[in-house]
Amino acid sequence: MALKHLSNALATPDQLSNSSSSLDGVPSDLETSIRCAGAQLTQAAGVLLHLSQDVIAQAIVIFTRFWLGADGGSLRIYSVKDVSAAALYLTAKLSFQPTSPRSVLNVYTFLLSKDASPLWFVRQGGSPSTPPEPETYILSEGGYQAARQVLLQIETVILRTLGFDTHVALPHTIALTYLQTLGSSNPAVAQRVLQHLNAALLSPQLLYVTHQPNALAVAAIYLASREEGAKLVDSDWWEVFDVDREELGFLVVGMKSMEGFMRAELNTWNEKSIPMVPDQVDAEIERRRMMEDGE
C-alpha cells in the first residue's frame, strides 16, 4: 500500500499517440503549445491563490491527464482555461488548502484579461506598463454565477474522465530524500533539483505521466549535480533507486531541453495569443489551412 502512494498510473503508448484532440484534427504542435500554456496558467493561478507548489503540481498533472487518449478531453470541445481552473479547484479541495470558486474564478478572470494579464501567451509583452481599468479584469456577479456553473460542470467531467482517480505522487520530496541518502547537503543542488522538477511539469514529452516519481527525482538530481559541479558517489547510484541508465538518459535529455523548448514557444507565439477556448482553436486550425492552400 505504501509503495502505491509513491507511484502513479502511467499513460499507455496508445493514449500518448491517439489523443482526442488529434483525432479531432488538432495538429500535434498546436496541441503541445496549448497544453503547455494551460499548465503555465495553472501554475500562475496557483501562485496567486497562495497554494503550495505540491497542490499546484498535482493540479497540473491532473490537467495533463485529462487530455490523454481517445477517451480524454478534446481541445475542440473543452476550453483549456476551464479545465485548468477546474483541475486547480478540485486539487485544492482535496488538499488541506481548499479555496472557494469565487477566488479561483477571480484569479482566472485576471490572468485571462487581454488588458491586465501578466502572462506572455495571453497578453503580448506581459504585464501592462500602466494599471488597467478594474472592469477589464473584475468578474461581475452575473458573470460569476455563470462561470461557477461551468467550473463545477467541468470538475465533474474531469472526475468522470479520470475514472475518479485523482491520486498524484510527486517526485519533489522523494528527490530531497534521495539527496540526503547520497550525502549531498549542497543547497544549490537541492534548489536546482526542484527547479528541474517544476519545469518538467510543462514538458512536451509529458514526463509526469510517462515516468514514475522516483525516476524523475533521480534525473533531476543527476542533472542538477552536474550543473552545480557537485560530486556524488562514484558508482551507478541511480540503480539503487530502481532507475536504469537508458531511462535516466531519456529523462535528463528531456529536462535539459526545457529551456530551448520554452524559447521556441516564445518565438512561435510572439505576435499572437495561444488559443484558450475551442473557437480560438478552430480559428487557428482554419488559419493554418488557408496558409497551406495559399488563400
Side-chain angles (χ1 to χ4, degrees):
M1 183 64 75
L3 288 175
K4 177 183 182 296
H5 290 293
L6 295 176
S7 62
N8 293 315
L10 299 181
T12 65
D14 185 60
Q15 284 179 316
L16 293 170
S17 58
N18 293 299
S19 69
S20 183
S21 298
S22 66
L23 295 173
D24 279 347
V26 180
S28 61
D29 66 308
L30 179 59
E31 183 178 0
T32 295
S33 291
I34 297 172
R35 211 166 41 206
C36 179
Q40 292 176 76
L41 176 62
T42 310
Q43 176 70 47
V47 170
L48 291 182
L49 288 163
H50 304 293
L51 297 174
S52 70
Q53 184 59 32
D54 273 6
V55 171
I56 297 170
Q58 288 169 0
I60 293 174
V61 174
I62 285 176
F63 167 84
T64 302
R65 287 176 182 169
F66 175 75
W67 307 105
L68 292 174
D71 296 327
S74 169
L75 291 165
R76 300 191 85 162
I77 297 174
Y78 297 103
S79 294
V80 75
K81 67 178 184 66
D82 293 338
V83 176
S84 168
L88 195 59
Y89 172 69
L90 170 64
T91 309
K93 185 164 69 173
L94 297 172
S95 75
F96 295 111
Q97 299 176 293
T99 188
S100 68
R102 189 179 292 275
S103 296
V104 171
L105 294 170
N106 282 341
V107 162
Y108 274 81
T109 301
F110 169 69
L111 287 175
L112 293 164
S113 165
K114 295 289 186 185
D115 296 305
S117 180
L119 298 175
W120 66 270
F121 52 86
V122 174
R123 184 184 186 280
Q124 275 63 50
S127 298
S129 54
T130 57
E133 293 299 319
E135 58 266 24
T136 64
Y137 62 86
I138 289 179
L139 199 56
S140 68
E141 187 58 31
Y144 165 68
Q145 294 299 337
R148 181 179 181 275
Q149 189 172 357
V150 171
L151 178 73
L152 300 180
Q153 285 174 343
I154 299 298
E155 179 191 19
T156 302
V157 171
I158 291 174
L159 285 169
R160 281 205 313 264
T161 302
L162 300 185
F164 293 86
D165 180 6
T166 58
H167 167 72
V168 178
L170 295 172
H172 300 65
T173 303
I174 296 172
L176 297 179
T177 302
Y178 286 179
L179 273 175
Q180 287 182 329
T181 304
L182 291 165
S184 173
S185 56
N186 186 332
V189 172
Q191 184 177 11
R192 277 306 278 158
V193 165
L194 296 179
Q195 287 171 348
H196 281 305
L197 291 176
N198 289 332
L201 287 162
L202 312 177
S203 165
Q205 294 103 335
L206 309 180
L207 299 180
Y208 271 74
V209 297
T210 56
H211 295 268
Q212 294 294 0
N214 67 303
L216 293 168
V218 164
I221 290 170
Y222 182 92
L223 187 54
S225 60
R226 287 293 183 92
E227 290 171 342
E228 295 296 329
K231 186 167 176 59
L232 299 176
V233 293
D234 289 329
S235 63
D236 294 348
W237 56 267
W238 49 87
E239 293 181 354
V240 175
F241 302 118
D242 200 25
V243 179
D244 64 36
R245 188 180 293 274
E246 184 179 357
E247 183 176 24
L248 173 62
F250 177 85
L251 285 170
V252 166
V253 170
M255 289 181 181
K256 281 181 69 174
S257 70
M258 281 306 301
E259 186 177 346
F261 167 70
M262 292 307 302
R263 196 181 303 117
E265 287 294 288
L266 282 164
N267 290 336
T268 300
W269 296 96
N270 66 346
E271 294 180 356
K272 54 186 184 293
S273 301
I274 295 180
M276 289 278 125
V277 298
D279 285 352
Q280 294 172 356
V281 175
D282 291 344
E284 174 63 18
I285 292 171
E286 177 63 14
R287 184 190 71 80
R288 293 184 178 199
R289 186 197 65 77
M290 290 175 68
M291 285 184 65
E292 286 177 5
D293 294 347
E295 295 180 23

